[in-house]
Amino acid sequence: MICSSLQLRRFDASTSLCESLVDVLEQELRQLLTSGSMARPLGLATGRTMEPVYAGLVKRLQTWSGSDRQRLRKVWSSFNLDEYIGLEVRDPRSYQAFMDAWLGEPLQLSSSSLRVPDGQATDPDVAALNYSREVAARGGIGLQLLGLGANGHVGFNEPPCGPEQRCHVVTLSEATRHQNASMFGGNPAAVPHQAITLGVAEILAARDIHLVVTGRSKAPILARLLAMQRPEPSLPASWLLEHERVQLWADAEALSLA
Ligand code: GLP
């Protein structure tokens, strides 16, 4: 059964999903050009789901005029959801490196406009608090992109979790370290045990949320989410049912058990 508060956008293939999502992102960025620093920042996600989205976005932005691209660089403002704690500066497995590779370098964005939580801070709790304050000072997130963890996490909000928590330090679950082990030589034990993540509270404060779910590996958790009538701490993404403007972008493989 499909619950009603998530607006489902179903695609046969992930390629057509990405194309349509890039349309939405392009529109948001055009809006950013007109409203400039008054606009709320973008909320960005990492992970395999986002790779073709960002590749498509970069390709699309290459069709913009040089002057529009230059203006975009000046007004760009985004906050990523999460970062591992304890990786070295410029570790290629960090989410900072991911963002630099997929968006920062191709679009020539400065690290001050493409923000990621500080996973190298000497005091990660303070870093999380400061990050939360910075997001709040910008009026909260405008458009929030989200992937879905195989255990139902959004950002790194691991189950069980409530809706009130703001940006915080989290201990990653065994399931998440397994899910993300491929970047760490296939060894879950090598995945950092802690991370900083925006909380569900900041996610729910976003103006618009786009949850992107692709591939067969996400089919079980997506089926569980879609069968839910109300949020439950055991499935962090289910808090999205409390938001009025959530679009769920899913391909046929991810929906194959729904
Ligand atoms: C990861 C990240 C999330 C990401 C999600 C899905 O652990 N913390 O930000 O959206 O899990 O990842 P993937 O797209 O690689 O399946």
Side-chain angles (χ1 to χ4, degrees), residues 44-60:
L44 299 180
T46 50
R48 287 150 289 196
T49 312
M50 295 301 150
E51 291 178 1
V53 176
Y54 294 152
L57 180 63
V58 166
K59 208 167 152 203
R60 181 71 60 84

Side-chain angles (χ1 to χ4, degrees), residues 81-86 95 117-119 124-129 151 153-162 165-174 176-177 180 191-200 236:
L81 283 163
D82 45 19
E83 177 61 288
Y84 293 114
I85 290 178
Y95 287 163
D118 182 1
D125 291 305
V126 171
L129 184 64
N151 66 349
H153 72 214
V154 281
F156 268 139
N157 291 282
E158 299 280 45
C161 85
Q165 209 161 15
R166 309 194 79 80
C167 190
H168 62 285
V169 172
V170 64
T171 298
L172 299 179
S173 66
E174 194 67 33
T176 292
R177 285 192 281 112
N180 292 359
V191 178
H193 286 227
Q194 286 192 305
I196 297 175
T197 184
L198 283 184
V200 174

